Amino acid sequence: MTPPIAPPGWSRWLVPPAALSVHLSIGQAYAWSVFKPPLESALDLSGTQSALPFQLGIVMLGLSAAFGGTLVERNGPRWAMTVALVCFSSGFLLASLGAATEQYWLIVFGYGFVGGVGLGIGYISPVSTLIKWFPDRPGMATGIAIMGFGGGALIASPWSAQMIESFGADSGGIALAFLVHGLTYAVFMALGVLLVRVPRPEATPDGKPLALTGVQVSAQQAIRTPQFWCLWVVLCMNVTAGIGILEKAAPMITDFFADTSTPVSVSAAAGFVALLSAANMAGRIGWSSTSDLIGRKNIYRLYLGAGAVMYLLIVAFGDSSKPLFILCALVILSFYGGGFATIPAYLKDLFGTYQVGAIHGRLLTAWSTAGVLGPLIVNWVADSEESAGKSGPGLYGLSLTIMIGLLIVGFVANELVRPVDPRHHHIPAQRKASDDSSVEQQSA
């Protein structure tokens, strides 16, 4: 499937909606918790078992993005979006069959493994194309698309809950909800497949600089540089800190204020989770756009340094002021989302646009690691503290302190980032041929 080249006069502002159609769809992954209670009831599962499809999906997201990144660069965004559409929708259809037949392994395989491949390929599918269309504002461009992944749950969560309520919370109702999801997302993602275009190689989009100018590093060389691994640590630490709150948001705010004069109700805790999702989404476009103005290194100093301060405030004063707790959590989640949206532009600054999609895919293994590490730290520490007789804020003091330490590690890694050594630079074929020709002429 050849990449569709934009005809003369094609507006680059048609590309972000194409990316959004994919990211809003695969962003459903953050709404998986809606299906956990009905699945546990219908199939007699534990909480750990019902979380398995989501956990496998996040792991497969990182792995498929890492191993499929080069294919995405080679075959173009239309091919990648088509693969994402087929895998993500097929994952729901397989999960629907698993629910209908009460075969939970099929739900895990469908949603987690097959759908997870769609998550990874779909996540990185528009990144390189957006950066090439918007070389002047790469942070804003990738922020628009990746905002969709953060905001997908805002659509999918109430929609899924309404379907469960309408179809029933038994295995048949769950199967029907999965089926509707699979078919609807296939149609919506197809809009992106039809709309996406790549810039013409002989022209610049809207008079902007050519994509292949300045430093260019291949994906194979990028992973051999210290800059790549510093950014891997930066992303892993930032995501671990954010996902630690996101995964346990409702019980955390309930526990913090359980013994105060203003306890948090179940509905208020759900509202808090919705606020965090909104902050996550807003941070993806807001902070990534700001990075175009103040620079990528400076914005990560903010994410990691101010994030550590927010955690410190929660540990010290969180249970004494509900507004302070909520404000700090919202800021942390905005940094969490902003970190995701800014990292492709950071990669572009360091490695160029030559294979930035493939490099981004390899870097997302940090997300897979953090997706396991963050919830593990918060839940394991909370369980241990509860066994020791602690309650309320005491369940989280140690884990939040660990998050402060991780953010400091990320801050140091960001400070170590330097321009890539010229020995890692890639010379595009056309430039190499020109250089060789010049050498031959000089020899003659």
Side-chain angles (χ1 to χ4, degrees):
M1 185 180 293
T2 56
I5 298 175
W10 182 269
S11 173
R12 63 178 181 167
W13 292 102
L14 293 173
V15 181
L20 267 176
S21 71
V22 173
H23 273 243
L24 280 170
S25 298
I26 63 176
Q28 183 280 335
Y30 278 146
W32 174 255
S33 60
V34 173
F35 291 105
K36 281 172 60 68
L39 280 170
E40 291 167 15
S41 175
L43 302 182
D44 192 25
L45 304 174
S46 66
T48 302
Q49 288 174 317
S50 66
L52 188 56
F54 171 77
Q55 291 175 317
L56 180 59
I58 295 300
V59 170
M60 291 307 302
L61 185 157
L63 293 178
S64 60
F67 291 105
T70 303
L71 289 175
V72 171
E73 287 288 329
R74 183 183 305 150
N75 297 321
R78 176 167 285 181
W79 175 88
M81 289 180 177
T82 301
V83 171
L85 183 160
V86 171
C87 291
F88 190 66
S89 295
S90 296
F92 268 113
L93 299 182
L94 287 170
S96 176
L97 180 61
T101 58
E102 299 188 0
Q103 297 294 318
Y104 187 61
W105 69 269
L106 194 52
I107 298 176
V108 175
F109 174 75
Y111 187 92
F113 185 84
V114 179
V117 173
L119 284 176
I121 300 299
Y123 190 87
I124 63 173
S125 62
V127 169
S128 177
T129 302
L130 283 165
I131 287 177
K132 288 171 182 174
W133 273 111
F134 293 86
D136 54 327
R137 286 182 280 180
M140 180 213 68
T142 54
I144 290 174
I146 293 175
M147 174 186 70
F149 191 85
L154 293 179
I155 299 171
S157 209
W159 181 42
S160 300
Q162 182 59 49
M163 277 196 284
I164 292 295
E165 184 178 338
S166 301
F167 300 151
D170 59 356
S171 58
I174 298 169
L176 189 54
F178 283 155
L179 178 63
V180 173
H181 274 77
L183 298 178
T184 304
Y185 283 133
V187 173
F188 196 60
M189 294 172 75
L191 297 176
V193 173
L194 296 174
L195 194 59
V196 72
R197 298 288 188 278
V198 296
R200 289 175 292 123
E202 72 276 8
T204 61
D206 294 1
K208 298 301 183 293
L210 284 167
L212 284 179
T213 56
V215 173
Q216 302 296 330
V217 181
S218 69
Q220 186 176 6
Q221 282 296 319
I223 61 174
R224 299 175 181 174
T225 66
Q227 288 83 357
F228 176 89
W229 293 106
C230 282
L231 288 189
W232 193 98
V233 172
V234 165
L235 183 63
C236 185
M237 298 301 100
N238 191 59
V239 174
T240 300
I243 209 168
I245 277 190
L246 188 63
E247 190 269 343
K248 207 172 177 63
M252 184 180 292
I253 192 172
T254 302
D255 289 337
F256 255 82
F257 299 97
D259 298 326
T260 68
S261 59
T262 56
V264 177
S265 65
V266 174
S267 59
F272 175 63
V273 174
L275 280 176
L276 292 182
S277 296
N280 178 9
M281 182 174 64
R284 291 173 187 246
I285 181 63
W287 293 124
S288 60
S289 297
T290 303
S291 76
D292 289 332
L293 303 175
I294 68 173
R296 253 56 82 171
K297 194 166 190 173
N298 286 332
I299 202 72
Y300 272 96
R301 285 169 173 154
L302 177 67
Y303 296 158
L304 300 159
V309 172
M310 294 299 107
Y311 267 117
L312 182 61
L313 289 173
I314 291 176
V315 172
F317 309 108
D319 60 333
S320 61
S321 173
K322 194 178 296 182
L324 177 66
F325 179 93
I326 294 172
L327 178 62
C328 290
L330 291 177
V331 172
I332 290 169
L333 262 293
S334 76
F335 292 160
Y336 168 80
F340 276 122
T342 311
I343 203 69
Y346 208 162
L347 293 172
K348 177 259 182 188
D349 294 346
L350 289 170
F351 302 110
T353 58
Y354 172 55
Q355 288 190 333
V356 68
I359 299 169
H360 183 220
R362 285 160 170 76
L363 196 77
L364 288 181
T365 54
W367 186 1
S368 296
T369 303
V372 175
L373 192 60
L376 180 65
I377 291 172
V378 174
N379 288 298
W380 178 77
V381 170
D383 290 343
S384 299
E385 299 287 33
E386 188 175 13
S387 299
K390 293 184 179 180
S391 62
L395 297 174
Y396 304 100
L398 177 58
S399 59
L400 299 185
T401 303
I402 292 173
M403 297 302 177
I404 295 171
L406 294 178
L407 287 171
I408 292 173
V409 171
F411 189 94
V412 172
N414 183 53
E415 293 302 308
L416 295 176
V417 174
R418 298 288 185 273
V420 176
D421 191 286
R423 74 176 186 273
H424 296 292
H425 293 182
H426 170 79
I427 301 178
Q430 64 271 23
R431 220 177 79 198
K432 185 176 186 302
S434 175
D435 293 345
D436 291 345
S437 176
S438 298
V439 171
E440 289 174 4
Q441 289 175 5
Q442 290 172 5
S443 300

